[in-house]
Structures are given as structure tokens and as C-alpha cells.
Amino acid sequence: MTKTGPAQTPERVEFRPGRRLSAKILLLTILFVMIAEVLIFVPSVANFRMTWLAGKVNTAAAASVLIASDADLELPLKAQDDVLMATGAMAIALKLGERSRFIRLSDTMPDIHSEVNVAEFSAVSAIRDTFDTLLFGGDRYIRAYGPIGDSDNMIELILPDQPLRAAMLIYARNVAVLSLIISLITASLVFLAINRIAIRPIRRMTGAMLTFRMMPEDPNAIIVPSGRNDELGIAERELASMQGQLQETLKNRKRLADLGLAVSKINHDMRNILASAQLMSDRLSSVSDPAVQRFAPKLVRTLDRAVSYSENVLSYGRAGEAAPSRRRVKLAPIVGDVEELLGIDPASGIEFSVSIPEDFELDADSEQLFRVMMNLCRNSVEAMRADTDPATVKRLSITAARMGTTALIGVEDTGPGLPAKARENLFSAFRGSARAGGTGLGLAIAQELVRAHGGTLELREDRGIGAHFEIRLPDAPVSLEQERVRRSRDRDASGAL
């Protein structure tokens, strides 16, 4: 059994309140809404300032209509004081055509800090003057002027900015409080919506991943998709698929570990048994019976192969197959050995058809190529042997051809073919078996051996009946000097003839 370290209990992941995704989204939502409110707040206060000044100018203009109608009329001092008190101005001046007229002028004329035309102004200048008043105002004076109604007459006021600044501060405070309330309400609604749509499913997937991490072999740890059709629904389905595949992989690894333990126990005793059989087979060479002399070499070679397989039986799970020892070999004798070892019963009705030229050669490891052919042919024979219908044609055909520098070997049968599950998991150990109780190791090992030769093993889909596997093996590369020597030798041989 593979020795493993002490089991480690996965740490449970806990999040501080400030680090939760929901808390971050709530804070960001409040921040963004406040930024939006600020962008609205500044123009709003600027508009309030212009409206306040325009109101003062309009009030003074309404009181000065009587003066504008009669240039020789003098208002009583009390009326002038009432006008100044209503507008809060220190002085009011009328421009009637080419003449200017003061309603009243205070004893001392203050310094004018800024001038505002309430009828024409730009947004940029209004915002700039608003910040100037809020930050530095309180003891300065403003000259505000504008037309009287639709006439060409103008009215001007000299106003202290302290009342304006006080009104702006009150308005700014009210707007700020209202903006804060709106921000909290908006952020709460947005947060509740995002929490229901996104945060809760993400938290569910996070919990499923943590649970699966702690108990990866528990089938209940796999997340159950909610059936949503958006991106989170796709993520849930992909997570469930990934967890299922990972769980299946863990099961396969456990089976491989158990198989390695069982094989290691069997392998120890099997090597002793095969060694004894090998010693007894050596004695058969001294028996003079012609039948024994004919079968003894094949029996010895078969036992040698069995001993070699027994010694390397764990290599598949440990470090892979050994690198092929490639030589120039003939394919026909290898296929002949495969036919003899299959031991096809004539009563089974299975025909073993071989269409390979006797001189067909290729660069390969003969033992590994034998194992490839043996695994493929055994699968075909077992599939056709399960069919008990006497009218069914049962034929296993082995073909070989060459396409350029590539050798093509075909293994085709007339059996029931591979089921859909076996096709989906072809060449996968413990998943690609075509029959009940099979392991699928035969095809997995065959593909690994073919790949070690730099070739490919694939299932042809152009056959409607049975299964057709095609092996493609490239010739080993030959150096330029070796090719020149070979061609020279061929020319000499043809000249001698």
C-alpha cells in the first residue's frame, strides 16, 4: 500500500465583516452615490446663489417701477429705507436710458469685491463664485445688476455677502443631509438587489467549494445548480461538472492504488511460479517427441514474455512504459504469435483474417508491438465471442500498408462495436471499457506504447459495423550517411546480377 503522510484537516476559511464582499459592495455603493450627490450638490448651491441674487434684484426692480415711470419723482426717505430693507442692499441705482439715478446711497461706499449679472452668467463662473463666497465670504460686497423686466432700463444693487453666505450655508446643510439620506436609501436598495442577485449565489458557491475541499469524496459535497440562465448559473453548472469529474478522478486514483497493492502482492508469488514453469519448460527441449519439439520454443518464448511482464507489471502506475528498443522487424510473425496465443476455438465461428505481405517491415519494438496487437485483437475476439447468434459473421481482419514513410496497421472486426460511453472515454483506464467487468487498461496501454513509438492509435469512424482501429507508426529516421551506404550497396548488388 502506498504510504501517505498524516491526514491534514483543511482550515476553515473565515472572513472578517470588513472583508466580506457584501460589506465592500455596500461601502462602494454608498461612496458612488455620494459622489453622484456631490456632482449634483455643487451646481445646486451655485443655482441657489444666483436665484438669491436674482430675487434681490427683482424685488428692487419692482419697487423702482414708480421711479422709472417718472424721472422727476422723488421717493420719501421712509419709502427708500423700506426698499433698502426689503432687498438688504446698501445702495440701489437705476439706469434710465442715458441717465443713472440713485434711490439712496449710504454714507460710505464700500469696496466692491465682485459683480454679478443675474441675466447673463456662465455655469463655470457661477460655480467658481459659489466656492469663493462659501470659503472666503462674509465681510465683502457684491454688485448685482440686471434689466428691469423687458425694457432696456437696468437696476444695480450693492449687497453685503454675509446674508448670502449664511443662506447658502443653510441651503448646503439641508441639501447635504437630504443627499445623505437619499444615498443611504439608494445604497440599501442597490445592496439588497445585488445581494439577492449576485452575492448570495456567490456565497453559496464559495460554501460549496469549501465543503468540497474538506470532503472531496462525499457525493453530497457537489453543488446542486440552481437552474439560473445567467453567468452565475453557468458558473454553478461548470462547478458541479468540475467537482463531479474531480471526484471521479479521485475514485479512479484510489482504485489504481488498490490495484497497485493487489498487483504487488500477486506479482511476488507469480514470479516464483513462472520461474518454476520456466525451469520445467527448459527440460522439454530434451524430449524427442516431434510435437513437443514444435511447441516447446513457443512455450518457452511465451513464458519469457510472462516473466518480463511480471517484472514490469507495476511500471504503468509508477513511471510509465520503458522506451521502445526499435529495430527493423517483420509484422507477419508478430501477428502469427498473436493468433496462436488467442487460442480461437473453431467452434466459436470467429475467423482470423490476415492480409499482411510476408516482407512487410517496420521500425518498432517487437515486444511492445506484440502487446499492442494482442490487446486490440483480444478485445475484438471477446466482443464477438459474446455474440451467440450462429448466423452472425464474426471476422477479425488484420491489414498492413505503407503510406510514404508511415506504416498503417488496421485491426477491424465485425462485432457489435463500441458503446457510446466507451467512445467518450476511449483510451481512459477504468472508464473506456467496452464490456461489463472490463478495466479499459488494454486500450490505455496500447495507446501509450504506440505514442512511445511516435505514432498514433485511433478509432476509425468510417465503419458502420464493428470496430476499426488504425495504428500509424513512422519509420525511424535514418542519417544521410546511412542512406548513401544503403543505396551504394543496392547498386552493387544490382550490378552483380
Side-chain angles (χ1 to χ4, degrees):
M1 178 181 294
T2 303
K3 186 177 181 181
T4 59
Q8 296 182 355
T9 303
E11 297 180 0
R12 185 174 182 81
V13 180
E14 295 183 357
F15 297 97
R16 297 178 181 177
R19 293 184 179 180
R20 290 183 178 274
L21 183 60
S22 56
K24 293 179 180 179
I25 290 181
L26 178 60
L27 294 176
L28 288 175
T29 304
I30 294 176
L31 175 62
F32 294 153
V33 173
M34 288 299 297
I35 292 175
E37 292 292 341
V38 168
L39 296 177
I40 299 174
F41 169 79
V42 174
S44 177
V45 176
N47 182 70
F48 173 81
R49 178 177 180 272
M50 295 304 301
T51 302
W52 191 90
L53 292 174
K56 296 296 184 180
V57 171
N58 292 332
T59 301
S64 61
V65 172
L66 181 60
I67 301 176
S69 62
D70 191 350
D72 298 328
L73 180 64
E74 288 289 340
L75 286 179
L77 292 178
K78 185 176 183 306
Q80 296 181 20
D81 291 339
D82 291 340
V83 172
L84 292 173
M85 184 177 298
T87 59
M90 295 186 63
I92 300 177
L94 293 175
K95 185 178 181 182
L96 306 173
E98 297 295 331
R99 297 183 303 112
S100 296
R101 181 175 181 181
F102 289 102
I103 293 180
R104 183 179 180 182
L105 184 65
S106 61
D107 296 337
T108 59
M109 193 67 177
D111 295 333
I112 305 301
H113 177 266
S114 60
E115 297 183 357
V116 178
N117 184 352
V118 298
E120 298 179 359
F121 60 90
S122 65
V124 176
S125 61
I127 292 174
R128 182 187 65 242
D129 294 341
T130 297
F131 279 106
D132 182 67
T133 301
L134 286 174
L135 297 176
F136 308 107
D139 55 355
R140 299 183 299 193
Y141 293 87
I142 301 173
R143 175 177 172 263
Y145 60 94
I148 300 177
D150 296 331
S151 66
D152 294 333
N153 299 329
M154 298 292 291
I155 185 169
E156 300 179 4
L157 285 80
I158 306 299
L159 298 167
D161 69 350
Q162 194 278 332
L164 172 60
R165 183 172 183 271
M168 290 173 63
L169 290 174
I170 294 174
Y171 178 80
R173 181 195 63 192
N174 294 337
V175 171
V177 173
L178 182 61
S179 299
L180 181 60
I181 295 174
I182 294 175
S183 299
L184 292 175
I185 295 175
T186 305
S188 300
L189 294 176
V190 172
F191 169 75
L192 291 175
I194 294 178
N195 183 69
R196 181 176 181 82
I197 295 174
I199 302 300
R200 190 181 299 174
I202 292 176
R203 188 181 295 121
R204 178 171 174 265
M205 286 192 292
T206 303
M209 287 187 286
L210 294 176
T211 302
F212 187 82
R213 176 194 171 199
M214 297 172 63
M215 299 178 294
E217 297 181 356
D218 185 4
N220 296 324
I222 298 178
I223 186 174
V224 179
S226 60
R228 298 172 51 148
N229 295 322
D230 54 10
E231 290 83 353
L232 289 175
I234 295 175
E236 288 178 347
R237 290 190 290 273
E238 291 299 322
L239 176 60
S241 175
M242 182 179 63
Q243 287 178 334
Q245 294 175 4
L246 181 57
Q247 196 169 86
E248 186 67 22
T249 301
L250 292 176
K251 290 180 180 178
N252 290 338
R253 287 190 175 182
K254 185 177 183 301
R255 292 176 64 184
L256 281 173
D258 294 340
L259 177 63
L261 174 62
V263 169
S264 63
K265 292 180 179 179
I266 297 172
N267 183 58
H268 181 270
D269 296 331
M270 183 64 70
R271 281 185 298 178
N272 295 331
I273 297 173
L274 291 174
S276 301
Q278 196 173 28
L279 290 176
M280 288 185 289
S281 65
D282 291 339
R283 299 178 182 177
L284 293 177
S285 59
S286 61
V287 179
S288 59
D289 189 340
V292 174
Q293 291 297 323
R294 184 163 58 92
F295 288 108
K298 296 181 180 180
L299 177 60
V300 171
R301 188 164 63 252
T302 303
L303 288 174
D304 290 340
R305 283 174 175 161
V307 172
S308 177
Y309 296 163
S310 177
E311 292 175 350
N312 299 292
V313 70
L314 296 178
S315 63
Y316 180 80
R318 182 175 63 245
E321 297 287 345
S325 177
R326 302 181 69 159
R327 299 179 60 187
R328 199 70 181 174
V329 298
K330 290 185 177 182
L331 181 60
I334 296 176
V335 175
D337 290 345
V338 171
E339 182 180 6
E340 290 185 1
L341 289 180
L342 284 175
I344 300 176
D345 187 1
S348 64
I350 299 176
E351 177 186 353
F352 195 93
S353 175
V354 180
S355 300
I356 301 176
E358 290 295 331
D359 58 348
F360 188 85
E361 300 178 359
L362 68 162
D363 292 292
D365 185 317
S366 60
E367 289 299 323
Q368 292 189 2
L369 184 57
F370 171 82
R371 293 173 60 188
V372 172
M373 299 300 297
M374 190 66 183
N375 285 326
L376 295 177
C377 293
R378 184 191 296 114
N379 287 344
S380 296
V381 169
E382 290 177 350
M384 291 186 292
R385 188 177 291 160
D387 188 357
T388 58
D389 186 357
T392 303
V393 176
K394 304 174 184 179
R395 181 183 300 112
L396 173 59
S397 302
I398 311 297
T399 59
R402 183 171 296 279
M403 185 173 63
T405 59
T406 302
L408 306 180
I409 305 173
V411 179
E412 183 177 2
D413 63 56
T414 59
L418 295 176
K421 182 178 180 181
R423 290 176 180 267
E424 293 174 0
N425 303 285
L426 201 62
F427 308 121
S428 298
F430 301 109
R431 300 176 63 188
S433 177
R435 58 187 177 85
T439 62
L441 278 172
L443 288 178
I445 293 174
Q447 186 191 48
E448 182 178 355
L449 293 175
V450 172
R451 283 182 175 177
H453 283 76
T456 59
L457 172 61
E458 62 179 7
L459 176 66
R460 296 290 299 270
E461 300 291 347
D462 55 353
R463 299 292 192 274
I465 299 175
H468 180 201
F469 285 93
E470 183 178 78
I471 304 170
R472 291 174 174 252
L473 294 178
D475 283 340
V478 179
S479 66
L480 181 59
E481 185 63 28
Q482 290 176 336
E483 181 64 17
R484 287 174 178 173
V485 172
R486 186 188 66 79
R487 290 184 180 182
S488 177
R489 187 169 55 248
D490 292 344
R491 285 197 300 268
D492 294 342
S494 61
L497 294 175

